[in-house]
Amino acid sequence: MKPKSHKNNQWQRICNGCNIWFIRSLKRHDLPVSILLVLVTAFLCVIAFPVAATIETQHIATLGVSIQNPSAQTQDLLQQGKVLYEAGQFAEAVKVLQQAVKSFGSQGNELQQAVALSNLALAYQKMGNLPPAQQAITDSLKLLEKSSNSQNLQVLAPILDIQGSIQLDLGQAEQALNTWQRAEVSYKQLGDQNGITRDRINQAQAWQVLGFYRRGLTILTQLQQQLQLQPNSITKAVELRSFGDALQLAGDLDQSRRVLQQSLEIAQKLDSPQDVSAALFSLGNTSQVQQDLQEAIKFYQQAAAIAPNPITKVQAQINQLSLLVNTEQTVAAQTLLPQIQTQLAELPASVTTIYARIHLAESLMKFGTTPQAIAQICAIALQQAQDLADKRAESFALGTLGSVYEQTKQWSIAQNLTQQALIIAQTINAPDIAYRWYWQLGRLLKQQGEIEGAIATYDTAVKELQTLRSDLVFVNRDVQFSFKESVEPVYRESVELLLQFQQTHPSEATLDKARQRIETLQLAELDNFFREACINAKTVLLDTLVDKDNPTAAIIYPIILPSELQVIVKIPQQPLRNYTVNKSKKEVEGIIRELREYLLEPDRTEEVQALSQEVYGWLIKEIESDLKESGVKTLVFVLDGILQNVPMGILYDGEQYLVEKYAVALSLGLQLLAPKPLTQTKLNVLAAGLVQPPQNFQQQFPPLPEIKSEFNSISQAIASTTELLDRDFNSKNLENKVNAVPFNVLHLATHGQFSSRAENTFILAADGPINVMQFDSLLRRRDETRSQALEMLVLSACETAAGDNRATLGLAGTSVKAGARSTLASLWHINDKSTAILIGEFYRELVKTKVTKAEALRRAQVKLLKDYPNYSRPGYWAPYVLVGNWL
């Protein structure tokens, strides 16, 4: 396992849609425990940043059995430690608990000493000081292992819970899983069902960290069924709330909302304001992830109104403020801000208030507050972090203060503060925050003209992001920071710097680094889409791939930068090269958006040709003579941003469309899937189609009467075809056929939608939509039992979601989840008769002439264009794109 970053504050998260922090979880209701004097969680749930355990309810309880009585002074030390811990004064708690450990040791009271050590471990963990936390919990367990009795068993399980949380903070997910499994055994021996449930939820999160996404979700689903059978209680409300948070981690947002609503209803029936407030808070977080920002604001507002203590009230209000700022509700934000400031000033110093201030400062930077006022807030947070000896919070306070000075263009002060923040982040081994300060430092160096230093710093920021790759999934799902605002710019700004440096210091190595970095960004986008690092990437040498293996293919990387469009090109037997198109991001996006709209209108062919000729000028004109001389037959585009929404085959040179001259394919990045020729084995097709959508989808989707004609065309071209049509095409039958029928082409002729959000990406079956994540589950068992690869996935009636500029992420995601070497799909829904013709031609060319998939698609499209006057308009033949392996 690679090392993962850790944290000492469980209430901090970054806001989705803005590069600011938002507070994630409230302290849960104190559940009754009666085991021993120990600070343990009543509900340990691993939903933290990036994958740390949330110690939600800390207790000092009394032993339910008689043991050697500690002195009153030692009892007082434990009580002091509890008070300091719960006040967030962890450094002071550590000092007091160290004394308690010594005192119990001198009394020979090993059981109580073990308890005190576990408390000490928790306090160290909260400080982000993991080595001594690990040592303390190890020492605690050693003391317990010296003797075995019923008292030890009562103590062992919660201490194992703490050990698991520390192991996960250290990036030891497998060890954490084993520890929680061991704790579950202890809870079973004790007959503690609540403890069993807690550990099962923790195990589910550990499985997800290890990459066993479905196994984790299966555990959570089983737990939900068990919870439903329990009578209403505060325990059930808390467990449902934690389960709802875990479902949010897993990406099941609708289910998360339902479970959290149930937790809320139970808390309301039991008249528990704290749990009502906590459930409303979690509902606000889920709504925020769903981009239902107004609903999230309402939930936060309600959570603040009912919160029984000031800190939870402030936490909810700060989240509310951040959303008001981001949705430009200025008047409401101005009304709320003084309330937050007054309440924060009255709260005692704690880790919670430090991060509240940092988050407030981040929000105010976007709100237009004076830099002096924001700097004052950061200065107070910094002083409190230093007083509490909280290094992680100190790093954040310093770095945030540095960003305030960055805004005021006081570069040297900003740089000094950022470097201090970075040193601390490195000292505590926290790459999740170190990358932020490397990024900030890179921006500052660039502003001061130190381009080479800035490039090196950005390189390190990217490297830190790469070490965090699987963690970022949980950062992004649980922490809810905006990938678009907090990760994507690091890559883009880095590429921009590299290409800027290339102008004065030309180097093929620099270009290769830039093209690899833009590919890495595409892979990171897919990780973000799935909420799990599910893609194994490897560096691909372009010289080998193009010059030796694919000498008739050219690779084109258009990169959209704020002020210009950069194009990197690899032509066989030629060095990597680039050229600049003086079109800003705004201009590029405006033209592409207009082109996409005109493609869908029947009387806009002339406008389509005019606009696509302009785009041809950007991407092809500069290299058209080289392409011809090099004998290039296939153009492979690694497209960036909004360019993904337009099929490249429609580019127009004034006389011909690009598809008339070249086979065209799209790649998600050569690091993801190196192209391999279609195996010459016989093609076996599993085809499923739906003529009439289910009743509740009939207003949204029209019938597809030509599917039978489409299936006939397939069976004429390929003898070995298994069909599921209409009612027979349901998720259960499809799964059965997937597991029973040998096939290497999966053809789905049905409505579907690609979206930039996984939960909105689906294909339609007779029994309703099959989500992309369910699709993965449906096909996963086949991968485990059959060696034959899925050569191709064909989606013949799907479309990208309207108004979603990043919807092709859903197309890429569906392809990856299917494990398909190639995917043929449409970017928009078209006349299904023309679809039947094109699909039939595609399969005929593929089987009879043995051409590449890209060439087979090209010929089918040209056939429609030239031989079918009714379908010659680009809107009919253009939307089909081939993604992945073009051979």
Side-chain angles (χ1 to χ4, degrees):
M1 295 292 297
K2 66 179 182 291
K4 293 188 182 345
S5 55
H6 55 271
K7 75 184 214 39
N8 63 353
N9 177 64
Q10 309 297 339
W11 290 312
Q12 303 309 132
R13 300 298 185 268
I14 310 175
C15 171
N16 192 0
C18 50
N19 188 18
I20 58 176
W21 288 77
F22 92 90
I23 302 162
R24 167 70 178 180
S25 39
L26 298 169
K27 187 176 175 184
R28 303 199 186 279
H29 182 31
D30 288 344
L31 297 176
V33 291
S34 57
I35 43 173
L36 67 162
L37 291 159
V38 59
L39 294 169
V40 297
T41 175
F43 204 90
L44 181 67
C45 184
V46 188
I47 49 171
F49 173 73
V51 274
T54 304
I55 309 301
E56 301 272 15
T57 308
Q58 296 80 19
H59 300 276
I60 286 188
T62 56
L63 278 170
V65 288
S66 175
I67 62 170
Q68 179 182 350
N69 291 321
S71 69
Q73 182 181 5
T74 311
Q75 287 274 29
D76 286 345
L77 287 173
L78 280 173
Q79 183 60 33
Q80 288 174 40
K82 172 186 183 294
V83 171
L84 290 167
Y85 182 93
E86 292 187 337
Q89 299 179 32
F90 303 121
E92 294 303 316
V94 162
K95 292 175 186 174
V96 171
L97 289 167
Q98 284 172 333
Q99 293 177 48
V101 169
K102 286 181 183 177
S103 182
F104 283 125
S106 64
Q107 295 170 31
N109 191 335
E110 291 182 344
L111 183 58
Q112 290 283 26
Q113 189 180 15
V115 169
L117 280 164
S118 70
N119 296 349
L120 181 61
L122 272 175
Y124 275 130
Q125 185 188 24
K126 279 286 192 178
M127 292 173 64
N129 206 349
L130 293 185
Q134 187 179 36
Q135 186 61 55
I137 203 69
T138 301
D139 292 345
S140 174
L141 287 165
K142 281 180 182 175
L143 286 170
L144 285 182
E145 287 166 3
K146 284 186 178 180
S147 60
S148 179
N149 55 49
S150 59
Q151 292 176 358
N152 281 22
L153 184 62
Q154 286 180 309
V155 175
L156 177 64
I159 291 180
L160 286 172
D161 282 345
I162 296 168
Q163 184 185 38
S165 75
I166 293 169
Q167 286 169 330
L168 204 62
D169 271 0
L170 287 163
Q172 300 167 359
E174 195 166 352
Q175 292 94 316
L177 177 64
N178 292 334
T179 298
W180 282 322
Q181 288 171 336
R182 186 180 163 201
E184 183 186 354
V185 171
S186 296
Y187 281 124
K188 283 178 179 175
Q189 289 176 283
L190 292 167
D192 185 343
Q193 186 57 49
N194 291 335
I196 294 168
T197 302
R198 290 196 296 273
D199 277 304
R200 295 285 287 164
I201 289 179
N202 286 339
Q203 289 168 43
Q205 302 304 321
W207 279 118
Q208 289 180 341
V209 175
L210 288 166
F212 294 92
Y213 177 84
R214 286 289 148 195
R215 188 176 299 190
L217 200 54
T218 299
I219 292 172
L220 293 175
T221 304
Q222 291 168 350
L223 283 173
Q224 185 194 17
Q225 293 165 356
Q226 293 171 19
L227 286 172
Q228 299 304 332
L229 300 174
Q230 294 179 10
N232 287 349
S233 65
I234 292 300
T235 300
K236 183 175 179 179
V238 170
E239 291 180 348
L240 282 168
R241 188 167 72 248
S242 291
F243 180 50
D245 290 339
L247 283 167
Q248 188 198 111
L249 266 176
D252 194 343
L253 301 180
D254 290 337
Q255 183 71 348
S256 168
R257 196 161 185 160
R258 284 192 290 271
V259 170
L260 291 171
Q261 193 67 43
Q262 190 181 355
S263 172
L264 172 63
E265 288 166 5
I266 293 171
Q268 287 170 332
K269 285 176 185 174
L270 298 175
D271 193 26
S272 172
Q274 183 162 332
D275 289 288
V276 170
S277 180
L280 288 165
F281 195 93
S282 287
L283 280 163
N285 293 337
T286 294
S287 297
Q288 184 160 320
V289 184
Q290 291 178 309
Q291 294 296 296
D292 191 350
L293 302 187
Q294 293 309 315
E295 190 71 8
I297 288 171
K298 287 179 188 175
F299 280 129
Y300 291 139
Q301 207 167 20
Q302 293 169 24
I306 202 170
N309 58 64
I311 188 60
T312 54
K313 183 182 182 74
V314 151
Q315 289 175 313
Q317 287 179 327
I318 286 177
N319 275 16
Q320 184 187 343
L321 178 73
S322 70
L323 290 184
L324 292 171
V325 169
N326 281 292
T327 53
E328 298 182 347
Q329 298 182 52
T330 307
V331 175
Q334 287 172 337
T335 303
L336 184 60
L337 178 58
Q339 299 174 40
I340 294 172
Q341 291 172 320
T342 301
Q343 289 174 91
L344 262 181
E346 293 172 355
L347 288 170
S350 70
V351 172
T352 312
T353 57
I354 293 170
Y355 282 105
R357 284 189 165 87
I358 291 171
H359 172 242
L360 181 61
E362 292 269 12
S363 295
L364 294 180
M365 275 191 264
K366 302 186 86 173
F367 193 47
T369 304
T370 63
Q372 292 85 352
I374 301 171
Q376 183 62 33
I377 293 169
C378 292
I380 294 171
L382 175 60
Q383 185 61 58
Q384 290 182 346
Q386 290 171 338
D387 291 345
L388 295 179
D390 188 321
K391 290 298 182 183
R392 188 178 177 88
E394 185 180 356
S395 177
F396 265 116
L398 281 164
T400 306
L401 189 56
S403 67
V404 176
Y405 281 98
E406 180 186 12
Q407 282 201 343
T408 61
K409 301 184 179 181
Q410 294 174 270
W411 311 125
S412 60
I413 299 175
Q415 183 174 333
N416 181 266
L417 289 164
T418 304
Q419 286 169 329
Q420 290 181 56
L422 182 55
I423 289 168
I424 293 172
Q426 291 169 324
T427 302
I428 61 173
N429 186 29
D432 59 297
I433 54 176
Y435 97 84
R436 291 166 59 99
W437 308 143
Y438 277 119
W439 176 25
Q440 188 162 294
L441 186 58
R443 297 195 304 268
L444 292 166
L445 290 171
K446 180 187 175 185
Q447 288 292 343
Q448 295 171 85
E450 298 179 35
I451 302 301
E452 290 187 64
I455 287 173
T457 308
Y458 267 95
D459 285 350
T460 310
V462 169
K463 208 171 287 179
E464 294 282 6
L465 280 172
Q466 289 300 98
T467 67
L468 275 170
R469 186 175 168 216
S470 62
D471 285 348
L472 276 176
V473 172
F474 286 83
V475 169
N476 199 31
R477 170 57 74 189
D478 179 41
V479 181
Q480 303 318 334
F481 74 179
S482 165
F483 177 90
K484 191 167 178 59
E485 303 232 0
S486 299
V487 174
E488 184 178 340
V490 182
Y491 289 94
R492 287 201 179 281
E493 291 167 18
S494 169
V495 169
E496 187 177 13
L497 264 175
L498 288 166
L499 294 175
Q500 181 183 335
F501 189 67
Q502 173 75 9
Q503 292 174 1
T504 54
H505 301 75
S507 160
E508 193 173 5
T510 301
L511 284 181
D512 194 50
K513 185 194 282 191
R515 73 98 192 163
Q516 285 197 45
R517 192 145 293 169
I518 210 72
E519 283 197 4
T520 305
L521 170 59
Q522 297 226 8
L523 298 183
E525 285 180 322
L526 278 171
D527 283 344
N528 175 60
F529 175 82
F530 290 125
R531 308 302 193 238
E532 59 175 330
C534 60
I535 301 160
N536 295 318
K538 59 182 179 182
T539 301
V540 173
L541 296 175
L542 268 182
D543 286 347
T544 302
L545 179 67
V546 176
D547 295 343
K548 295 179 182 176
D549 300 339
N550 298 273
T552 60
I555 318 292
I556 301 173
Y557 296 83
I559 301 169
I560 302 172
L561 299 175
S563 60
E564 63 192 22
L565 177 67
Q566 281 279 345
V567 185
I568 299 176
V569 181
K570 173 60 184 176
I571 296 174
Q573 312 308 324
Q574 292 188 20
L576 204 59
R577 60 187 280 197
N578 75 303
Y579 48 91
T580 303
V581 179
N582 291 317
K583 290 287 178 184
S584 69
K585 179 182 180 183
K586 187 176 180 181
E587 289 175 294
V588 169
E589 290 184 343
I591 289 169
I592 296 298
R593 203 172 284 116
E594 194 174 13
L595 175 56
R596 172 61 188 260
E597 287 173 9
Y598 288 165
L599 278 165
L600 302 179
E601 297 179 18
D603 56 350
R604 295 283 196 164
T605 301
E606 288 185 11
E607 289 92 335
V608 166
Q609 289 181 343
L611 289 170
S612 60
Q613 188 169 353
E614 183 169 0
V615 180
Y616 183 95
W618 301 346
L619 305 185
I620 306 296
K621 194 168 183 59
E622 178 93 5
I623 55 170
E624 57 185 350
S625 59
D626 289 336
L627 293 174
K628 200 174 290 183
E629 290 171 12
S630 299
V632 168
K633 293 179 180 177
T634 304
L635 300 180
V636 181
F637 290 88
V638 182
L639 293 176
D640 184 27
I642 199 171
L643 287 167
Q644 296 170 351
N645 285 358
V646 170
M648 291 293 103
I650 56 101
L651 300 190
Y652 193 63
D653 67 2
E655 295 180 0
Q656 288 181 301
Y657 292 104
L658 194 66
V659 74
E660 295 180 74
K661 301 190 288 184
Y662 299 99
V664 176
L666 303 180
S667 175
L668 308 178
L670 303 179
Q671 297 177 47
L672 174 59
L673 187 67
K676 294 179 181 178
L678 181 65
T679 56
Q680 294 306 311
T681 55
K682 182 180 172 184
L683 291 183
N684 298 309
V685 178
L686 173 58
L690 193 63
V691 173
Q692 190 69 44
Q695 186 144 6
N696 51 339
F697 286 90
Q698 287 178 8
Q699 285 188 335
Q700 186 179 354
F701 298 114
L704 299 169
E706 293 293 330
I707 282 179
K708 292 177 183 177
S709 170
E710 185 175 329
F711 278 20
N712 287 338
S713 298
I714 297 171
S715 59
Q716 286 171 16
I718 301 172
S720 180
T721 304
T722 303
E723 296 180 2
L724 289 172
L725 192 61
D726 290 336
R727 287 186 182 179
D728 291 336
F729 173 26
N730 56 57
S731 52
K732 186 174 179 56
N733 283 351
L734 182 61
E735 183 172 12
N736 289 339
K737 291 294 184 186
V738 160
N739 293 317
V741 174
F743 67 94
N744 51 16
V745 176
L746 178 58
H747 185 109
L748 300 175
T750 179
H751 286 291
Q753 177 178 275
F754 308 124
S755 166
S756 58
R757 300 182 67 80
E759 57 268 26
N760 296 330
T761 296
F762 62 88
I763 57 171
L764 203 57
D767 55 345
I770 300 174
N771 180 269
V772 66
M773 307 307 265
Q774 296 168 290
F775 194 56
D776 166 51
S777 179
L778 187 142
L779 291 166
R780 181 74 61 89
R781 203 182 306 162
R782 173 190 183 273
D783 295 342
E784 294 168 356
T785 57
R786 297 183 184 277
S787 59
Q788 188 178 28
L790 182 59
E791 289 286 355
M792 190 161 55
L793 170 68
V794 181
L795 301 161
S796 76
C798 296
E799 59 187 324
T800 51
D804 188 342
N805 285 337
R806 299 161 70 84
T808 45
L809 270 175
L811 169 55
T814 305
S815 176
V816 168
K817 278 300 185 192
R821 288 182 174 170
S822 309
T823 298
L824 176 63
S826 56
L827 296 181
W828 60 84
H829 175 58
I830 50 178
N831 179 294
D832 66 317
K833 188 161 188 173
S834 64
T835 294
I837 296 168
L838 185 141
I839 292 295
E841 290 293 334
F842 171 74
Y843 279 112
R844 272 192 289 277
E845 291 290 344
L846 198 62
V847 173
K848 290 180 181 177
T849 61
K850 302 293 184 183
V851 293
T852 66
K853 298 169 191 172
E855 177 62 17
L857 175 60
R858 187 193 79 80
R859 293 184 184 187
Q861 289 176 310
V862 171
K863 186 87 171 173
L864 269 188
L865 168 64
K866 293 189 171 179
D867 294 354
Y868 291 86
N870 289 344
Y871 304 129
S872 62
R873 187 169 59 81
Y876 288 110
W877 53 262
Y880 280 93
V881 293
L882 183 71
V883 181
N885 180 15
W886 63 88
L887 297 179

